[in-house]
Each structure stands twice: as structure tokens, then as C-alpha cells.
Amino acid sequence: MPLSVQETEVKNPPVSRPPLDPHLKALENEAIHIFREVAAEFEKPVMLYSIGKDSSVLLHLARKAFYPGRVPFPLLHVDTTWKFKEMIEFRDEIAEKYDLDLVVHTNPRGAEEGITPFSHGSALYTDIMKTEALRQALDAGGYDAAFGGARRDEEASRAKERIYSFRTPDHKWDPRNQRPELWNVYNGMVRKGESVRAFPLSNWTEVDIWRYIQAEDIPLVPLYYAAERPYVERDGMMILAEDPRLELKPGETVQHGMIRFRTLGCFPLTGAIRSTASNLEEVIAELEIATVSERQGRAIDRDQSGSMEKKKREGYF
Amino acid sequence: MTATATSPSATILPFAEPLKAVRDTRPLRLITCGSVDDGKSTLIGRLLWDTKAVKEDQAATLARDSGSQNDLGLPDFALLLDGLQAEREQGITIDVAYRYFSTDRRSFIVADTPGHEQYTRNMATGASTADLAILLADARAGLLEQTRRHATIAALMGIRQFVLAVNKIDLVHYDKAVFDRISHDFREFALSLGVRQITAIPMSALKGENVVYPADASMPWYDGPTLVEALELATVRSTQAGGFRLPVQRVVRPGESFRGYQGTVAGGSVKPGDSVVILPSGTIANVSRIVTFDLVRNAAVAGDAITLVLDRQVDVARGDVIVSLDGQPMTGHHFDAQLVSLQPGGIEPGRRYWLKSGSRRQRVAVEPISQLELATGKWQPHASTLAMNAIGKVRLSFEELAVFDAYDQNRSTGAFILIDPDTLNTVAGGMIIAKRAEVGGIHREDQRVVLSLPADLAEQLMASELFANRRDETEIKRMTAKQAAELFSNAGGDI
């Protein structure tokens, strides 16, 4: 049938791709539904953008959900100033390319009090530069809904997270007293000051994320692909050694090897894996035979048992 | 593309699931029902373990936390599942958790719900999205009242496929007679609930027999599927049959020339050229285009998140439902429904709540009529507050016109939640049974007969002597012949 081309404000219109398989299509449909529902029911939503692969999928789904309109809310990046350099470059490119409203927030205490992952340890550093910073940014923006890319398969305490996760005015999560969530009917009623964290990727697994990235040709930070990179071995992790702020401890040397990252966070707290998977197909092939979870490379999850739940109660994503 | 999507008369198809030539690879959503004693956590742990959904570092954390292994050298599976510290401390599961595993053929989303405390509320939550229920029975104990209760709730929530896991079969020496007796009893009971797709499997979750791997050695008499095989063969519910339904979530207007209605197709299918009705206004329009990010599509089916463009300027807002001209949903002010009360305050008679269904939120008054006695499966008259975990039949009364399908016809447009206007918490999950007749041609109201008549007839009757003598028994409502005809057609089965 004849089609008239409509003018819209979307930059970089989509290209034609082969249809998704029914599994990914079902997950995509669910995520788009959640995006639209939150955008319609809340006054001031925001999307947490961490630049990683899950955030990249989340952003892609947001663009799909609101097409042919623009993404109708800003993206918030909590910048600890300790992210990988390539992440920041990628973030700014994407914001420009897709015409996004990007809000970047850094907790001023970091610079004022000299808080670094080296000086204060991962637990305190994360609490101040991520959790506290996130609360500051959400309060400053007056956001009543925040999208996040968390998945229920990531960690035990996430398995009970609702898709609309209710938070008190001081951002507390009460796992014992969550609102029941039936069918796909979401309760978006909150009082002033209260908010929800909304998780469109709740039912996705790590393999789904990668397969979707492949099917939809979603651009990623190159650190996810193996390359010859400098690294230092510390506390059983391979830490990328290219930032001048990384000081070598006695006995440490910079080594070189084919490495890549399964998750991206602050470079001093994120361990690489040895890999030769230098493109998407190889990464997926590697993942399908993987015997360890992706969060294994995250120092903050390993501080203590139940540490993620504790952080979440305090307002961490 | 399915046959449904391209069918020229896609709006009225029989409510039957066609046999699929191509295997459906959508995730199967299921719920596990059983108590701690039945070995539910062990079963789910076993499923995750044998399908390699548990990774080495998670297992290491598990081993570290439990400090012990079971006598088969495996970690304590229950710890794997009870994610929250509070649960670890109390040793019980307190809420719904979701688990993910997959095989080469399919992926699965498991709603894992507690077996005892507040199980009705949590089971209802988990069952609301499930296509299949696994019901656990301890081979030594047989079919307990609790299993019957769980099956009753699962059936009530619309689940039409049951798997009975007769667990701990090793503890009755793999006795076929025990398995046959329990599965026979269960089959009888499930049939009485209207569930016909039943698979019974003898298993030992602890030993991993008939869960993922078959157990030919210990149970040579069993030639049925393993649990995972049964799950791989289960069907995913489809609402592609039936009338087209699009609850409008958002109206998108990126430029002056474009106006689209965004939502997820909740039933049937649609294609450009179809005539549609916007409810509740009743305005009619034609579909001009279906827009998605993946360029323009020539059809959309139930489950698809789309943007619909109509051929004319019409008034459509969030909360409206765009439906096919043929096979429209019910519209009215009064509906009968079943609901599950979810919060300590219960559901109070006459209280006004917010009702949300699809993308529509409106005020509703709720009158309890009866309550399900789970022990017997009987409905008992009950007009007072429905306490937490009660399952009740209620009458819903709306101030504004409401739009629903019956839940057994459409699990999206027939479902709703109730929200307490004070706490803003979700207090009930409900399922529409049918529309209630409104005003009716003739009905009793405080012992007075109300007659709704065409105006000229009404005038004639009121002028009569007979009417004058029985004035306080009767009330006459004047209406046009057209209004009267509508009333009669709406009253449907009540006359």
C-alpha cells in the first residue's frame, strides 16, 4: 500500500533488519510496554545510563518505544570520575548521535575529600560516589521514576525485585513490603517525594542481552571485545593499566595480553578476563560455554554475602 | 508471520489454539506450587543446576555460605533460591522470586512462590503471568489438601496446564502403584477444575531423577517425559484469536503531521484498512498504518508493542481501548468479577478503590457477594470484608463506562488490580466474569417494579386507573424505543 513519509524529529531513523526470533521479540515487547507505561504515568521520569551493555540495550529499547517521537526523558549518568576513558567517549558520542538529553552528575565530596577507590576501599567508595551520588542526582532532578537496566538473573536479591520497584522519599527499598505485581498491570501511583525504579530488562538474561545486541546491531564500548591491552594483576583481578592515576604497588608490573571485560564499571574495581573474542559472534560463543557469572568480575559484589541487598536497601540500583 | 496475522478476516477467529507447524520459542512462564516439605526449593535448585543456569562462582558463594553439602556432594539448593538475608535468617521464602533457565529448545521463567505463609496472595501474583503450574506432592504423603488448594488457585488464575511432580519417589522404593494412585487422584481433581492438560511425573529432585535426566534404571516402568521435556512441549497461551484489542498507553505527536496511538496489542490482530472502534466513546475509524521502529508493518498480533495511525482525526486518549468492529468487548457500569485480596486491610464492601486494567484507571465501588472456601472448593455467601488472602466474587460498580472482556476469553483485558486510594498500595488482583445487566427491562428495586418504556407507552400507562391504584409499587422510566431496544439487547442472558 502507498505510504507517505512523515516528518518526525527523530535523528538517525531505523534501518530494516530481519525479524527477531519469538523469544527476543517477547522480551522486547515487554520492555517497550514498561517504557511507555512509566512515561505516561509519571510526571518526571529519567533513565539511568551506565554506558554498559545493559544500558545500551535499554537505550535502544527506549528509542524503539517512543519512535517516531524522541526519547521523552533525560539520561542520567552518575560519573565517579573513575570510569574507563573509552566509556566517557562512547557516552558523549551516543548522546550526540541520538539527540539525547544527557545529565551527568558527580558527587562533589569525591574531589573535596579525596575519595578514591584506592584510598577508601571499594565499599565506602561505592557508597559515596555511586549510591550517594545517585540519590543527590535524583533529588536534584525531582524525578519520580528512574529506569534502570537491572536484570533479575544478575544476583540473588534482584530475583525478587518488582518491575516497578517502589522507593520511599529517602530512596529506601523495603524487600519485605513490596507491592504485589500481577499480570502486566503496573501500579504507578506514588505520593510526592516517593518514586519508583522501573526495570524493563527484569526478565532478560545475560545471553538474551548479547543475542539482542547482535540481532539489533547495537553499538557497544569496545572494551567488551578482546584486544591486546595493558593490565596489572591485583587481588586476583586483572585491572586495566592505562590511567595515570593507577599507581603500581611493590611487586606489580604492567603486563600485556588479549583481554576483554564482561561488565564495565569503575576501572580500578572491574576485572578483565582473558579472551580472544574480538567480535560479537565470538563473545556470544564464549558466553555460551562460560562457567562463571558476569558479576564475578565485580569487586563490590564480593565484599560480603548479601552485599548487593544491603546496597540496594540504601538506594543503590 | 503467522496465518492469523495475514488472514483477511483476522478479527473473528475461533477461540482455538491452532497446531503450530513451527515450534514456538517464546519463553514459557511457569509457577511452582508446593510446600517446603515437598522439596520445592530442591526441585528448582536441581532444575537450575542441571541446566547449567548456576555458574561456578555462584556455587562457590553458596558453598561458602552453607558451609555444608548434602549427602550427594551438592550444595544446599534452597540457599541458592532464598536470596534475601531475611529469608536466610528465618529459613523460609517470603515472597515471589523469579528464576531463569533454558535448554537448547526453549527458555523458561519460573515464578517461585512460598508454600505456606500467605501463599494465596503470592501464588496469585506468580500465577497471573504463568502458562503452566508445577504442583508438587510428596510421594509418601500423597495428595494433600494443600495441593488441592494450590491447584484451585492456579486454575482460578487461568492456568490450563498442570504438571504433577510426585517427588521423593525414591523414598517409597520407586513404587509404581503409589505413583499411579496419586496421579489418578490428581487427574480427577484437576478435571473437576476444568484443567485437562495434565502430566504426572514420578521424580526425585534430590537425586535428579526425571527432572532433567531420565531415570530408566530406577523407574523402568515409567515411559513418560522428564520434567524438562514436559515443559519444552507445553504451549504458550496466545490471545491472537478473538477480537483486536489495543489499550492506548500514549498518544505520540512528534510533529504536526503525525499522530499515533502507542500500546501493546492485548488480543487479536490488526492490519491497515481494518475498521476499528474507539471505546468507550464508540467513535469509528480505519487503521491507516502500523508504525514500529522496524519500519512500517503490514500486520500486528497480540503481544506486539506498536504505534497505530488512524485515517481520520478522532479523539483518543490514554486509557481508551481501540478494538475491532466485529467482536467488541463488553462496555458497562456493572461487572461481576473474582478477586484475590492481597493486603491486611482486606477489601471492604462499598469502599471506593482505584481500578487499573490495561492502561485505564478509574474509580470503582466493590460489593462482595461470596467467598471461595478453599478446603471444599465451594463458594459461600459473603457480603462483608474480604480478608487478606480471601478469594471472593464481587460486583463492581463504575461511575464512568468500563470496558472489559471476560478473563477466560482474554487474560489482558479481563484482568485488573485494585489500588487503595489512601495507601496507594495494590490491594487486590481481579478477573472479570461477566457484565451485569443494567436497569434491565423489569427488575425489583426496594420492592418496586421499574418499567422502562417508550415515552408514549409510558404516558398511556401512567394515565390508567390501574396504575394510579398501584402507584407506590411501580416506577416508570421514559425512554425512546431505540433506548429500550438497546437495554434489551444489553441485558442479554438475563431476560
Side-chain angles (χ1 to χ4, degrees):
Chain A
M1 60 170 291
L3 296 166
S4 57
V5 176
Q6 298 280 344
E7 276 200 355
T8 74
E9 293 173 3
V10 163
K11 280 191 184 176
N12 281 292
V15 294
S16 190
R17 290 190 194 86
L20 288 171
D21 70 50
H23 173 77
L24 290 178
K25 189 75 201 164
L27 293 173
E28 179 190 78
N29 282 327
E30 181 183 59
I32 289 176
H33 182 85
I34 294 161
F35 263 118
R36 289 171 171 173
E37 199 62 12
V38 172
E41 276 200 304
F42 289 83
E43 283 176 24
K44 210 172 174 198
V46 66
M47 187 184 121
L48 272 290
Y49 179 64
S50 74
I51 320 173
K53 65 181 192 315
D54 301 282
S55 276
S56 297
V57 167
L58 199 63
L59 173 60
H60 185 77
L61 289 163
R63 293 174 60 228
K64 280 196 153 189
F66 302 108
Y67 178 83
R70 279 180 92 221
V71 174
F73 40 76
L75 269 59
L76 170 66
H77 178 228
V78 174
D79 190 351
T80 59
T81 73
W82 291 92
K83 299 293 171 189
F84 294 88
K85 189 170 84 203
E86 282 176 80
M87 290 173 73
I88 302 302
E89 289 165 3
F90 181 86
R91 175 194 76 190
D92 295 341
E93 267 171 44
I94 290 288
E96 168 74 26
K97 184 175 169 190
Y98 297 138
D99 184 27
L100 304 165
D101 300 326
L102 177 68
V103 177
V104 178
H105 176 76
T106 302
N107 189 344
R109 281 182 66 191
E112 287 163 11
E113 301 172 27
I115 295 163
T116 77
F118 304 119
S119 61
H120 287 68
S122 75
L124 183 64
Y125 162 80
T126 301
D127 183 46
I128 295 169
M129 297 308 287
K130 292 174 90 170
T131 310
E132 186 180 290
L134 176 62
R135 288 201 302 256
Q136 288 170 347
L138 292 176
D139 287 341
Y143 304 114
D144 57 355
F147 293 101
R151 291 178 280 113
R152 286 176 180 150
D153 84 323
E154 273 180 271
E155 204 270 342
S157 72
R158 297 241 200 246
K160 315 208 167 183
E161 183 84 88
R162 302 294 192 260
I163 286 173
Y164 275 32
S165 182
F166 182 82
R167 302 300 162 106
T168 61
D170 51 353
H171 305 285
K172 292 279 199 304
W173 179 61
D174 181 0
R176 306 277 318 254
N177 196 22
Q178 301 193 76
R179 289 178 176 176
E181 211 162 62
L182 293 91
W183 299 287
N184 64 348
V185 189
Y186 304 108
N187 177 358
M189 298 188 81
V190 293
R191 289 196 188 77
K192 193 144 187 66
E194 296 170 341
S195 64
V196 301
R197 307 273 170 95
F199 300 113
L201 304 181
S202 287
N203 287 319
W204 296 52
T205 63
E206 189 187 11
V207 176
D208 296 329
I209 293 286
W210 282 108
R211 288 183 56 234
Y212 188 74
I213 287 168
Q214 182 179 41
E216 296 284 294
D217 199 17
I218 299 170
L220 290 186
V221 180
L223 291 164
Y224 283 111
Y225 305 116
E228 183 83 8
R229 294 187 174 100
Y231 66 90
V232 165
E233 278 194 39
R234 179 178 295 177
D235 303 332
M237 294 197 305
M238 289 183 281
I239 297 171
L240 192 70
E242 59 175 25
D243 192 300
R245 292 174 295 179
L246 178 72
E247 290 172 17
L248 294 187
K249 291 179 182 173
E252 288 181 345
T253 54
V254 174
Q255 304 173 59
H256 288 80
M258 287 291 280
I259 57 170
R260 67 177 189 90
F261 294 85
R262 279 178 82 180
T263 63
L264 293 179
C266 299
F267 80 84
L269 302 176
T270 310
I273 57 166
R274 285 183 208 286
S275 169
T276 54
S278 59
N279 59 49
L280 203 46
E281 289 69 30
E282 289 169 7
V283 167
I284 291 171
E286 201 177 82
L287 186 75
E288 281 168 353
I289 54 165
T291 56
V292 293
S293 81
E294 62 191 311
R295 299 204 75 88
Q296 190 240 4
R298 293 277 186 122
I300 60 166
D301 289 0
R302 297 191 298 173
D303 293 345
Q304 60 182 107
S305 196
S307 64
M308 175 67 90
E309 183 194 345
K310 186 166 166 290
K311 280 195 264 294
K312 278 169 62 62
R313 283 171 182 269
E314 289 159 1
Y316 183 72
F317 237 76
Chain B
M1 199 64 59
T2 65
T4 312
T6 49
S7 163
S9 59
T11 49
I12 29 172
L13 288 168
F15 286 99
E17 183 96 2
L19 282 171
K20 290 186 181 69
V22 181
R23 194 170 57 80
D24 189 338
T25 60
R26 274 185 292 165
L28 182 79
R29 289 173 178 259
L30 56 125
I31 180 172
T32 50
C33 320
S35 72
V36 179
D37 305 334
D38 299 331
K40 183 167 67 73
S41 293
T42 308
L43 175 64
I44 299 171
R46 169 62 71 182
L47 270 173
L48 300 184
W49 188 264
D50 284 357
T51 58
K52 317 257 183 307
V54 183
K55 302 296 186 186
E56 278 173 9
D57 56 315
Q58 293 167 329
T61 306
L62 200 58
R64 191 186 66 198
D65 284 2
S66 66
S68 66
Q69 297 179 324
N70 67 27
D71 43 8
L72 296 171
L74 294 168
D76 182 346
F77 291 134
L79 271 178
L80 180 69
L81 305 180
D82 294 340
L84 302 183
Q85 281 180 338
E87 292 178 356
R88 286 202 207 114
E89 286 153 15
Q90 297 170 14
I92 56 158
T93 312
I94 53 173
D95 203 332
V96 187
Y98 294 89
R99 320 288 176 195
Y100 303 82
F101 69 95
S102 58
T103 65
D104 291 342
R105 305 180 64 180
R106 189 178 227 176
S107 65
F108 303 90
I109 302 175
V110 184
D112 177 15
T113 62
H116 38 172
E117 202 74 18
Q118 297 175 15
Y119 67 85
T120 304
R121 149 195 159 127
N122 292 312
M123 248 203 76
T125 302
S128 68
T129 51
D131 298 300
L132 178 147
I134 299 176
L135 293 125
L136 264 116
D138 184 328
R140 295 169 301 177
L143 209 58
L144 298 179
E145 184 186 308
Q146 174 164 270
T147 319
R148 294 175 204 267
R149 289 175 185 235
H150 290 165
T152 304
I153 298 166
L156 183 93
M157 297 301 292
I159 296 177
R160 292 290 169 265
Q161 299 174 90
F162 283 173
V163 171
L164 177 73
V166 182
N167 194 24
K168 307 190 186 181
I169 194 79
D170 51 324
L171 300 184
V172 295
H173 313 291
Y174 302 102
D175 186 346
K176 179 174 186 292
V178 172
F179 171 71
D180 286 346
R181 192 183 67 241
I182 297 173
S183 49
H184 172 81
D185 290 353
F186 181 76
R187 209 171 290 273
E188 296 282 295
F189 183 70
L191 285 170
S192 76
L193 297 172
V195 177
R196 280 179 292 277
Q197 289 191 54
I198 306 151
T199 310
I201 304 171
M203 67 178 68
S204 165
L206 191 67
K207 295 187 171 176
E209 292 173 321
N210 279 338
V211 180
V212 174
Y213 303 107
D216 301 332
S218 53
M219 286 173 271
W221 48 265
Y222 177 74
D223 57 2
T226 64
L227 177 60
V228 155
E229 282 166 355
L231 299 181
E232 284 177 340
L233 292 170
T235 50
V236 174
R237 181 186 313 258
S238 166
T239 41
Q240 290 181 16
F244 171 65
R245 307 283 184 264
L246 184 77
V248 176
Q249 290 182 283
R250 295 180 79 241
V251 179
V252 59
R253 299 190 61 182
E256 281 308 302
S257 58
F258 186 95
R259 180 194 283 251
Y261 307 107
Q262 300 191 315
T264 305
V265 180
S269 60
V270 69
K271 62 187 187 312
D274 283 356
S275 293
V276 292
V277 184
I278 294 116
L279 293 176
S281 73
T283 315
I284 292 172
N286 298 310
V287 174
S288 67
R289 287 191 296 148
I290 300 162
V291 177
T292 71
F293 191 84
D294 304 303
L295 304 184
V296 172
R297 312 227 323 222
N298 56 15
V301 299
D304 288 346
I306 60 168
T307 301
L308 205 65
V309 181
L310 301 178
D311 68 343
R312 66 198 74 172
Q313 286 276 343
V314 284
D315 193 15
V316 183
R318 170 176 166 81
D320 289 354
V321 192
I322 302 178
V323 308
S324 49
L325 202 55
D326 298 318
Q328 292 188 28
M330 303 175 282
T331 55
H333 290 89
H334 301 282
F335 286 84
D336 286 329
Q338 294 177 336
L339 59 76
V340 181
S341 175
L342 302 172
Q343 301 292 351
I347 296 298
E348 299 169 38
R351 180 127 193 259
R352 286 164 81 247
Y353 294 91
W354 285 109
L355 178 144
K356 190 176 176 192
S357 175
S359 55
R360 188 175 179 82
R361 197 173 71 201
Q362 56 194 130
R363 287 286 200 164
V364 67
V366 182
E367 294 295 342
I369 299 166
S370 57
Q371 182 173 340
L372 181 64
E373 203 176 77
L374 272 171
T376 61
K378 300 251 183 333
W379 290 92
Q380 305 292 355
H382 185 101
S384 54
T385 299
L386 290 164
M388 178 160 73
N389 290 316
I391 295 169
K393 277 189 183 156
V394 298
R395 178 181 186 173
L396 305 175
S397 298
F398 298 91
E399 288 158 17
E400 294 168 352
L401 208 58
V403 181
F404 290 109
D405 284 295
Y407 186 74
D408 60 12
Q409 300 289 305
N410 189 314
R411 253 176 134 191
S412 294
T413 49
F416 62 87
I417 59 170
L418 295 182
I419 299 167
D420 185 299
D422 297 328
T423 65
L424 303 186
N425 204 344
T426 306
V427 293
M431 297 145 284
I432 295 294
I433 302 167
K435 179 178 159 179
R436 245 185 128 94
E438 302 186 16
V439 191
I442 301 168
H443 76 156
R444 285 187 176 76
E445 204 171 79
D446 301 332
Q447 303 302 310
R448 281 154 65 93
V449 175
V450 181
L451 295 177
S452 301
L453 296 170
D456 55 338
L457 254 180
E459 296 302 334
Q460 242 182 331
L461 184 60
M462 286 168 80
S464 71
E465 195 179 341
L466 181 66
F467 180 81
N469 289 340
R470 307 184 64 174
R471 185 70 190 83
D472 44 355
E473 286 173 47
T474 317
E475 185 180 325
I476 302 266
K477 290 190 173 168
R478 294 177 189 79
M479 54 176 56
T480 64
K482 186 166 169 289
Q483 285 169 324
E486 274 175 15
L487 264 180
F488 268 76
S489 70
N490 284 344
D494 290 274
I495 296 175

